[in-house]
Structure formats: structure tokens, C-alpha cells
Amino acid sequence: MIIVGVGGGIAAYKACALVRHFTERGHEVRVIPTESALKFVGAATFEALSGNPVQTSVFESVPEVPHVRLGQEADLVVIAPATADLMARAAQGRADDLLTGTLLTARCPVVFAPAMHTEMWEHPATRANVATLRERGAVVIEPASGRLTGKDTGAGRLPEPDEIGALADVLLEHPGALNRDLEGRTVVVSAGGTKEALDPVRYLTNRSSGKQGYALARLAAQRGARVVLVAGNTIGLADPPAVEVVRITSALDLQAAMAEHAAAADLVIMAAAVADYRPAEVATTKLKKGADGKSEALESITMVENPDVLAGLVAARRDGALRSDAVIVGFAAETGDARGTVLDYGRAKLQRKGCELLVLNAVGDGRAFEVDENSGWLLGADGGESALPLGSKSAMAARILDAASARLGPAR
Ligand code: CTP
């Protein structure tokens, strides 16, 4: 059973969609709002969406001792929005309503999704409360930046319900997924496919969705890192909260963006699907068919090789353009054939590219591309090899970050 706790902030309306996110995935959901949350969204809405009664006080249904029963039965508590006041009360161990009382009896993972004005989020009192909650093992999600209640913008915005839901889902699948092991680190992730232009209306691209790279960037930010996501073509994925997104189009753009942003990085992850070749010439006007209905230029396109960005980053580190202790992670998508298995090709690629870790996905038959689940192996230059069991791309991202973070040198 999942408890959705709702604090009294304008973002309380987003809790409705979060309840939906969980019920649609088959979870039993209990909503526990604070008194002030009910000033923003009525109890009837939460009751209808969760299919369960809603109360705010321990003085209702007294014989059931609800704060003890609910806390004991919960597999996960997600509080969205978590207001400054609610986190202050939780950090102090207060139990002055059903939600804070339940927090003291719950032994399951607890996630706070803060939402407040930037000044309140940055206030030393709130910082101290967040630190206390994290020290005690709670997850406090990094808020998004953007439009706040009025005309102001800044950090403190509640992430979209599906973002919060995705973080809760991965926590249920991989309990260490949101620990804070990347605090103080800079992580650069590339994601999605490149587009190689042929003329002003045509380009060549590939089937990468960007989902794996976005999942890595999303989790790295929640694990405390400053994250730059260098994003190519994706299936319209939303920017993850607390991540700086740099958009690129071609492999050459990607190479330039990585050179710039990876220079100060502790961890560089090349999840982008880079086109190996690009058209030798980009026509400045549309390539047209002639009177005979044919176009020689489209019938045979001359291609030239793109740089290997990953191998280039490894070389740049050797030449001092990257931190000498930066950890570099590559990806490989292999099918295996008569000459070698997926693992044979993965091991050879790890050697050729010179990175510390290679995420090896078996592809073909609809696996890996454009789907939510993935499996494979994690190969280490130190000889370590582990299977990545079939799971969501978020759970896989958590395992990749576990392995990468274990290889990082001491923090600066
Ligand atoms: N990569 C890159 N630059 C390229 C091609 C690939 O940086 N021009 C990176 C990808 O981001 C990925 C890794 O290299 O991390 C593996 O990519 P892949 O295309 O599988 O490797 P290739 O070297 O192209 O090998 P092959 O096509 O022969 O399998």
C-alpha cells in the first residue's frame, strides 16, 4: 500500500495525478492530507481517486488507531507537495496530525517532494530540516525550477506528477536508487540520437528514444550531482528536474558540447546513439527529382565517418583536457552473430573505446530501442562483469550509477 501525503500548498492539485499514477499501476493508495491541504483540494476528490476514505486527524476512526495501522501497512510514503512547514514538523518528530503521526510509525521508504518559494527552499531553517530528514534516511527530491505560484520563477517548483511517480517506482524496484552518493559531483550524460542533415528538409537519424540517458540524468541529479544532459533527438521526453539540458542535433554538435561540458566532470556517460556516418555534403537547397522523376543525389548518398566521441573523450582525458580521475561510461548495443556472441563483442568494444565501464545491451527483436524495459551486462575495465537483470530503464540507470559511483575518486 502506498500512502500519498499531501501538504497545504497550491501544488496540492498535482497530488491528484500522482494518486492516479499509482492506482493505474495496481497499487492500493491511501491519501492523507493535512488540514490546510484540504483548503486547496477537497477530501471527496482524494476519496474518489484513491477509492479509500480520507481523514486528517487521529481523532477520527479512533478504535482503528489509524496512524499506527497506516504507518505499519505502508510499503512507501510519498509526500507531495511537502511544504516547508510539513518538513519542519517531520524533522522535529512532531505528531500533531494524522500525516506526521503516520510518519513516525512508518518503517518503509519515505519520499518528500518539496514545493515552495525559492526563498523558503533556500532558507537555512529549511536546509537544516532537509539535511535532518536525509540523514534519517528519507528521500527529499530536488525540486524543479520554473514558474512558481505568482509571476516569480526559480527552484522550488513541484516536479510533474509523472516525474515524482517515476522516482517512487524506481525506489520500489531498487531501494538504493535515490541515495546521495553523488553530492558535490558533476555528471555529464549524453542521450538520444543524432540527426545528420542531408538538405534543408531531410536528415538521417536512428531509433534511440533517449529514455536510458534521461533516466540516468534524472537519477544522478536526485543523487546530489550537478548534471548536464546533452540531448539529441528523443521521443519528446520532458526535461528532468534539477538538470541543465543542452540540446544538440548532429554528431559534430555532440562532440563540441561534450568537449565543453565534460572538461570539469567527475563522471561522463555516453548514452547517446551517435550516427557513425554523415552525408559528405549538406545541400543548401532541397534535393529535387528531375523531369524523369528521379534524383541521382538521393539515389546514392556519399557518407563520411563521424568522430568517435567516446574514444575522443578517453583520449582527451589522457591529454589533460578532462580531469585525470574522471570516470567514463560507454554503451554498446549488440546482436551477436556467427562470429561472436553479444558478450564477445561487448568485451572487445570496452577495450577499443578505453572507458571504465561499458553498458552492454542485447538488441534485435524489439529489445532496448523505444521500449521501457532493458537487460544486459555491465562490463568493467577492471575485469568486473555483472548481469543487468530485466527491469525498467530507471532501475538500470540506478545500477549503472551504483557501479560508476563506486569507481569515483575522493570528492574535491
Ligand atoms: N559513440 C560515440 N561516437 C560515435 C559512435 C558511438 O561516442 N561516432 C559511443 C556511443 O555513445 C556509445 C558507444 O560509443 O557509448 C558505442 O557505440 P556503438 O555505435 O555501438 O559503437 P561503434 O564503435 O560504432 O561499433 P560498431 O558500430 O562497430 O558496433
Side-chain angles (χ1 to χ4, degrees):
M1 184 262 287
I2 295 180
I3 293 177
V4 175
V6 187
I10 182 67
Y13 73 93
K14 290 189 182 174
C16 301
L18 184 61
V19 173
R20 258 277 146 78
H21 176 99
F22 293 132
T23 56
E24 276 172 2
R25 281 157 183 75
H27 295 291
E28 175 79 8
V29 177
R30 293 292 304 248
V31 181
I32 311 181
T34 62
E35 267 300 311
S36 29
L38 294 183
K39 291 194 161 74
F40 293 94
V41 179
T45 303
F46 292 132
E47 290 187 339
L49 288 171
S50 67
N52 277 311
V54 162
Q55 63 187 76
T56 60
S57 148
V58 290
F59 297 108
E60 296 160 69
S61 322
V62 173
E64 288 180 30
V65 201
H67 66 292
V68 178
R69 190 173 56 80
L70 290 171
Q72 286 172 346
E73 285 178 7
D75 301 301
L76 178 69
V77 180
V78 183
I79 300 181
T83 59
D85 176 67
L86 185 49
M87 287 197 293
R89 289 194 289 133
Q92 290 218 331
R94 300 264 298 268
D96 39 11
D97 60 8
L98 180 57
L99 180 53
T100 48
T102 302
L103 282 175
L104 289 182
T105 57
R107 293 293 174 268
C108 59
V110 176
V111 178
F112 291 86
M116 63 197 73
H117 281 273
T118 310
E119 291 82 353
M120 296 173 86
W121 174 244
E122 288 174 351
H123 193 282
T126 306
R127 306 311 313 151
N129 291 330
V130 168
T132 301
L133 293 168
R134 282 181 175 153
E135 261 164 41
R136 293 196 193 125
V139 171
V140 182
I141 290 178
E142 293 297 336
S145 286
R147 182 89 186 270
L148 301 171
T149 322
K151 288 201 174 99
D152 44 350
T153 58
R157 187 180 151 89
L158 189 72
E160 292 310 309
D162 278 339
E163 278 288 343
I164 301 171
L167 293 172
D169 295 343
V170 68
L171 204 57
L172 287 172
E173 210 178 332
H174 187 84
L178 300 176
N179 69 34
R180 299 285 296 179
D181 58 347
L182 296 177
E183 239 165 289
R185 306 289 193 170
T186 296
V187 176
V188 179
V189 184
S190 70
T194 63
K195 282 182 182 173
E196 309 298 330
L198 193 55
D199 70 10
V201 296
R202 299 182 180 90
Y203 57 75
L204 304 172
T205 189
N206 56 59
R207 290 174 59 191
S208 170
S209 66
K211 281 185 180 178
Q212 186 64 73
Y214 272 58
L216 281 157
R218 172 184 296 115
L219 287 195
Q222 295 303 336
R223 287 165 82 139
R226 181 179 89 81
V227 181
V228 179
L229 172 61
V230 178
N233 191 34
T234 73
I235 51 165
L237 302 176
D239 293 356
V243 168
E244 184 191 338
V245 182
V246 174
R247 300 208 183 275
I248 56 94
T249 304
S250 66
L252 293 177
D253 297 342
L254 175 75
Q255 183 187 37
M258 292 307 287
E260 179 185 343
H261 295 284
D266 299 276
L267 173 60
V268 181
I269 306 179
M270 277 294 297
V274 190
D276 288 318
Y277 286 82
R278 67 180 183 276
E281 276 176 36
V282 184
T284 52
T285 54
K286 186 179 171 190
L287 298 170
K288 301 283 288 178
K289 285 177 289 204
D292 59 355
K294 293 190 182 304
S295 161
E296 234 176 79
L298 289 175
E299 268 173 22
S300 81
I301 302 166
T302 306
M303 308 284 280
V304 290
E305 204 173 348
N306 269 327
D308 184 326
V309 180
L310 174 59
L313 288 165
V314 172
R317 179 180 56 187
R318 192 189 52 227
D319 298 342
L322 260 63
R323 289 170 49 102
S324 59
D325 59 355
V327 169
I328 302 179
V329 182
F331 274 72
E334 303 288 348
T335 59
D337 58 21
R339 281 174 297 151
T341 64
V342 170
L343 263 175
D344 293 335
Y345 284 124
R347 289 179 187 129
K349 192 167 285 180
L350 175 65
Q351 281 246 313
R352 197 166 70 243
K353 302 262 183 181
C355 49
E356 280 61 55
L357 277 172
L358 190 82
V359 183
L360 175 60
N361 291 135
V363 293
D365 305 329
R367 283 177 296 186
F369 289 109
E370 296 168 348
V371 294
D372 289 323
E373 297 221 313
N374 222 348
S375 68
W377 291 268
L378 203 48
L379 310 183
D382 53 11
E385 289 189 2
S386 56
L388 290 168
L390 184 70
S392 69
K393 288 187 176 176
S394 294
M396 188 163 287
R399 291 177 198 277
I400 295 165
L401 291 179
D402 289 347
S405 129
R407 286 168 169 80
L408 291 173
R412 278 165 282 174

